[in-house]
């Protein structure tokens, strides 16, 4: 924006240098203004121009990762579920790695917990051939599913036996 141009003068161009793609802020710096009068003559030298920087601010984005429920009947092996859904991820970003921590072998129920997540952006390449890590650009909320191992049914039947009385116990 500009203020106080003389009647008939207009801001023809101005160079703005400021670019921010990740969470944080940086200066948006104006310079090299060109002002022309109604006849198209450059009158920039008739002005004492004061440039005032703006600020470009990118805030963190909300992201929800929900792990899935999984269950089985006890069989002596671990129950692990690496399935999750994600809501709020930018179209140019993807989840590169998710560290799933939970596993259960014995009867019971636990939360299906995530240890860490790595998110990358495919458009802001900072090193040739490598995606930019944008994990810190997200405020991640986790909703944990449950891992449940149910008790296995087991029937124990005692043997039956018969004998003629002889004064000793039957076992």
């Amino acid at each position: 924006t500009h203020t106080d141009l003389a009647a008939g003068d207009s801001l023809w161009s101005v160079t703005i240098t400021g670019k921010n793609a990740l969470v944080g802020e940086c200066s948006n710096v104006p310079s090299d203004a060109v002002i022309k009068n109604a006849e198209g003559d450059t009158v920039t030298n008739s002005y004492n121009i004061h440039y005032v920087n703006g600020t470009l601010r990118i805030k963190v984005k909300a992201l929800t990762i929900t792990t899935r429920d999984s269950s089985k009947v006890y069989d002596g092996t671990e129950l692990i579920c690496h399935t999750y859904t994600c809501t709020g991820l930018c179209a140019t970003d993807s989840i590169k790695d998710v560290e799933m921590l939970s596993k259960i072998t014995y009867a019971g129920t636990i939360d299906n917990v995530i240890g860490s997540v790595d998110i990358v952006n495919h458009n802001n390449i900072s090193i040739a051939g490598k995606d930019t890590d944008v994990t810190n650009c997200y405020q991640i909320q986790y909703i944990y599913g449950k891992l449940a191992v149910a008790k296995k049914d087991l029937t124990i039947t005692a043997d039956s036996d018969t004998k003629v009385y002889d004064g000793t116990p039957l076992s």
Side-chain angles (χ1 to χ4, degrees):
T1 61
H2 58 83
T3 58
D4 300 327
L5 287 176
D9 288 356
S10 62
L11 181 62
W12 189 259
S13 67
V14 65
T15 300
I16 305 287
T17 55
K19 183 178 180 182
N20 193 11
L22 301 176
V23 169
E25 62 181 52
C26 71
S27 294
N28 199 20
V29 182
S31 64
D32 302 321
V34 175
I35 301 168
K36 293 190 178 188
N37 64 17
E39 291 78 37
D41 299 323
T42 300
V43 294
T44 308
N45 289 335
S46 297
Y47 287 89
N48 185 19
I49 300 173
H50 302 279
Y51 294 104
V52 178
N53 293 351
T55 302
L56 300 176
R57 231 177 248 108
I58 297 180
K59 297 179 180 180
V60 295
K61 181 171 177 34
L63 177 72
T64 302
I65 299 177
T66 305
T67 59
R68 191 172 134 216
D69 293 337
S70 186
S71 63
K72 70 175 187 172
V73 174
Y74 172 76
D75 64 3
T77 64
E78 290 180 340
L79 173 61
I80 301 170
C81 180
H82 293 282
T83 306
Y84 60 89
T85 58
C86 184
T87 306
L89 194 65
C90 291
T92 58
D93 295 348
S94 66
I95 294 180
K96 180 179 176 183
D97 187 38
V98 174
E99 178 190 21
M100 302 293 289
L101 297 179
S102 299
K103 56 187 173 183
I104 185 171
T105 302
Y106 306 107
T109 302
I110 61 171
D111 287 339
N112 192 10
V113 176
I114 292 176
S116 64
V117 175
D118 292 323
I119 304 170
V120 295
N121 177 280
H122 306 292
N123 288 344
N124 297 322
I125 298 176
S126 59
I127 301 172
K130 293 190 178 180
D131 295 325
T132 302
D133 184 332
V134 294
T135 307
N136 291 333
C137 294
Y138 289 94
Q139 176 66 44
I140 303 173
Q141 175 189 10
Y142 297 100
I143 300 173
Y144 296 131
K146 301 288 185 189
L147 297 181
V149 174
K151 292 181 179 183
K152 182 174 180 68
D153 288 334
L154 176 65
T155 303
I156 299 174
T157 305
D159 289 338
S160 298
D161 200 359
T162 307
K163 78 173 190 171
V164 174
Y165 175 74
D166 63 3
T168 63
L170 178 63
S171 53

